[in-house]
């Protein structure tokens, strides 16, 4: 796993030398950092607690937990929910794509309940003081979609802006990535702003864009998203792209000035070698910098989905994995 010493060494390089390290083709993308143990995951989200423990949740059952003390060796734990909330049965039997964060003295976990390829979907919310499996209290649905909707209410991500406003991005296929404003008191949509903003879409051809994640860096808002086909093992064509904006609600543009609502997006991670279809990403700030946490399909292990972790370098104004 790359640690602070490697990051320090890279940032000490002259600008020209550092830019030379930026990948220009898919074959130049970095391999994931070393992780061991319980690393079979899908759609991972991770935080570091005040005690230094890494808590990771991922798709599966009642949201599968992993933990680590060093960000390298991961141990499998219990599901987040001891008993699955009863309302799930209206949508599916298991949860997808969790998003964990810590605000106001408690952990929040937004998550999706749906079935593959359907937009009869719901985003739920649970809270916990510790973030540990079995400690979560569910608060029901936050946002839903039906088969008559032009969007899909899955893949949620909470972003808390510097001015204290809360925003939830979400979406998969259909008309793309959406955003709503959240009431910090309830964790649900703000009653005085019920607008649904559009952040990214693919108006023609495939509709395959999903899994949004928003961060702020250096005066810009950055929207990461997964493009193309997920969940097909070694046949997956998933990749991570990014755009940036001066307002959290967009418009977001890629490095070439193409709007993300018009199929824009600058590549961050793509398939290379055994590491096929990276995506389902989340971004985490750690002691040695920002991390991109994602899954990929292992071409040397029958396409098993595994955990990928890389640091991000922002010196060019755009996130570059290393």
């Amino acid at each position: 796993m790359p640690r602070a010493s490697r990051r320090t060494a890279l940032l000490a390089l002259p600008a020209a030398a550092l830019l030379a390290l930026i990948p220009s083709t898919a074959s130049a993308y970095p391999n994931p950092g070393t992780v061991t143990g319980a690393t079979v995951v899908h759609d991972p989200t991770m935080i570091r607690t005040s005690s230094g423990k890494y808590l990771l949740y991922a798709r599966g059952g009642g949201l599968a937990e992993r933990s680590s003390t060093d960000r390298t060796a991961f141990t499998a734990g219990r599901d987040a929910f001891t008993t699955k909330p009863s309302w799930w049965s209206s949508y599916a039997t298991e949860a997808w794509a969790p998003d964990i964060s810590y605000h106001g003295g408690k952990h929040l976990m937004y998550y999706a309940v749906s079935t593959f390829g359907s937009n009869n979907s719901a985003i739920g919310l649970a809270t916990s003081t510790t973030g540990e499996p079995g400690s979560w209290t569910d608060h029901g649905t936050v946002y839903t979609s039906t088969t008559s909707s032009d969007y899909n209410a899955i893949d949620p991500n909470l972003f808390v802006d510097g001015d204290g406003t809360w925003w939830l991005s979400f979406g998969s296929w259909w008309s793309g990535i959406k955003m709503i404003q959240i009431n910090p008191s309830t964790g649900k949509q703000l009653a005085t702003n019920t607008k649904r903003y559009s952040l990214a879409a693919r108006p023609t051809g495939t509709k395959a864009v999903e899994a949004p994640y928003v961060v702020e860096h250096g005066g810009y808002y950055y929207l990461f998203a997964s493009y193309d086909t997920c969940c097909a093992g070694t046949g997956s064509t998933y990749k991570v792209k990014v755009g940036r904006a001066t307002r959290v609600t967009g418009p977001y543009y890629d490095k070439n000035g193409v709007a993300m609502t018009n199929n824009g997006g600058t590549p961050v991670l793509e398939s290379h070698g055994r590491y096929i279809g990276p995506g389902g990403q989340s971004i985490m700030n750690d002691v040695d910098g920002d991390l991109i946490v994602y899954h990929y399909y292992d071409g040397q292990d029958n396409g098993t989905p595994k955990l990928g972790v890389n640091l991000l370098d922002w010196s060019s104004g755009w996130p570059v994995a290393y």
Side-chain angles (χ1 to χ4, degrees), residues 292-314:
I292 183 167
V293 181
Y294 57 97
H295 70 256
Y296 66 91
Y297 302 95
D298 191 342
Q300 295 182 12
D301 190 15
N302 300 312
T304 300
K306 294 184 179 179
L307 174 64
V309 181
N310 288 88
L311 281 158
L312 291 174
D313 178 76
W314 296 90

Side-chain angles (χ1 to χ4, degrees), residues 1-308:
M1 171 62 59
R3 303 301 293 178
S5 59
R6 184 180 175 194
R7 178 177 176 84
T8 300
L10 281 171
L11 294 181
L13 290 172
L18 185 59
L19 288 174
L21 298 176
I22 296 175
S24 58
T25 65
S27 63
Y29 288 97
N31 295 340
T34 300
V35 290
T36 62
T39 60
V40 177
V41 300
H42 208 280
D43 299 335
T45 178
M46 186 167 69
I47 62 168
R48 184 175 184 269
T49 68
S50 59
S51 67
K53 180 180 181 180
Y54 294 89
L55 282 176
L56 181 151
Y57 284 92
R59 171 183 173 182
L63 297 175
E65 186 258 3
R66 305 283 188 269
S67 64
S68 176
T69 59
D70 61 2
R71 211 176 73 200
T72 298
F74 285 83
T75 302
R78 298 174 293 149
D79 281 3
F81 297 105
T82 303
T83 302
K84 297 176 183 179
S86 59
W87 65 264
W88 289 14
S89 62
S90 297
Y91 301 93
T93 58
E94 68 173 17
W96 296 9
D99 173 67
I100 188 171
S101 57
Y102 185 82
H103 301 285
K106 61 185 176 183
H107 297 83
L108 297 95
M109 188 150 61
Y110 288 89
Y111 61 90
V113 184
S114 186
T115 55
F116 191 83
S118 170
N119 69 331
N120 180 46
S121 310
I123 294 169
L125 169 64
T127 58
S128 166
T129 55
T130 65
E132 295 288 343
S135 70
W136 293 91
T137 299
D138 192 67
H139 299 282
T141 61
V142 174
Y143 211 71
T144 63
S145 57
T146 69
T147 54
S148 62
S149 302
D150 71 346
Y151 62 94
N152 193 3
I154 68 170
D155 293 0
N157 165 240
L158 177 68
F159 172 75
V160 177
D161 208 345
D163 62 3
T165 54
W166 287 30
W167 302 90
L168 190 75
S169 58
F170 59 91
S172 171
W173 292 63
W174 276 267
S175 62
I177 305 302
K178 309 297 181 183
M179 175 175 274
I180 58 174
Q181 190 171 357
I182 294 294
N183 184 338
S185 299
T186 64
K188 300 188 178 185
Q189 187 170 25
L190 188 69
T192 55
N193 182 8
T194 58
K195 182 175 180 180
R196 187 170 59 244
Y197 302 84
S198 291
L199 305 187
R202 304 181 82 171
T204 60
T206 177
K207 304 297 183 182
V209 57
E210 59 190 5
Y213 203 98
V214 175
V215 299
E216 189 278 333
H217 190 91
Y220 287 99
Y221 299 95
Y222 291 82
L223 170 64
F224 294 78
S226 295
Y227 286 67
D228 296 332
T229 302
C230 169
C231 314
T234 56
S236 300
T237 57
Y238 235 21
K239 56 182 66 73
V240 180
K241 296 185 180 183
V242 69
R244 70 184 188 185
T246 55
R247 294 183 301 174
V248 69
T249 54
Y252 287 84
Y253 297 95
D254 66 18
K255 190 183 292 187
N256 294 322
V258 180
M260 291 188 77
T261 50
N262 192 30
N263 198 25
T266 296
V268 177
L269 284 174
E270 295 189 22
S271 297
H272 61 284
R274 69 185 291 181
Y275 308 102
I276 299 170
Q281 74 291 325
S282 58
I283 309 300
M284 173 194 158
N285 181 256
D286 205 356
V287 292
D288 53 345
D290 288 336
L291 309 173
I292 183 167
V293 181
Y294 57 97
H295 70 256
Y296 66 91
Y297 302 95
D298 191 342
Q300 295 182 12
D301 190 15
N302 300 312
T304 300
K306 294 184 179 179
L307 174 64

